[in-house]
């Protein structure tokens, strides 16, 4: 298997790791890509970014009321 962040994963496709990556574990190497996209276009004065481990994505919420989401123009 392959070790990522101290955890052993089996050979083959891993649809989601504990830290929100999709990986392929081979005897030669382990390759991974993130399951999340970082928000870059939003109102930075009124909003803040919080990582949601459950959904493996970033939530953009109002600074003064985190229960309300902000509109995101773009992600990378």
């Amino acid at each position: 298997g392959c070790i990522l962040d101290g955890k052993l994963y089996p050979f083959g496709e891993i649809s989601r790791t504990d830290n929100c990556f999709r990986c392929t574990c081979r005897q030669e190497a382990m390759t991974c890509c993130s399951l999340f996209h970082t928000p870059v276009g939003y109102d930075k004065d009124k909003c803040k970014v919080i990582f949601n481990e459950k959904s493996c994505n970033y939530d953009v919420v109002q600074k003064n009321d985190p229960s309300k989401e902000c509109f995101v123009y773009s992600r990378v």
Side-chain angles (χ1 to χ4, degrees), residues 3-53:
I3 295 178
L4 179 66
D5 294 329
K7 183 173 180 179
L8 178 64
Y9 290 94
F11 287 119
E13 300 293 320
I14 299 126
S15 60
R16 179 179 166 175
T17 65
D18 290 346
N19 57 354
C20 297
F21 285 86
R22 179 182 10 232
C23 300
T24 301
C25 173
R26 296 191 178 108
Q27 196 165 4
E28 308 81 37
M30 183 174 197
T31 56
C32 299
C33 62
S34 65
L35 293 172
F36 50 88
H37 296 93
T38 305
V40 292
Y42 62 94
D43 186 338
K44 292 178 175 72
D45 293 328
K46 295 180 182 176
C47 304
K48 64 181 178 177
V49 176
I50 300 171
F51 189 71
N52 183 331
E53 291 181 23

Side-chain angles (χ1 to χ4, degrees), residues 55-71:
S55 68
C56 281
N57 210 351
Y58 287 100
D59 294 333
V60 182
V61 296
Q62 292 182 8
K63 289 179 180 178
N64 60 355
D65 187 355
S67 68
K68 295 181 181 175
E69 290 188 27
C70 293
F71 181 74

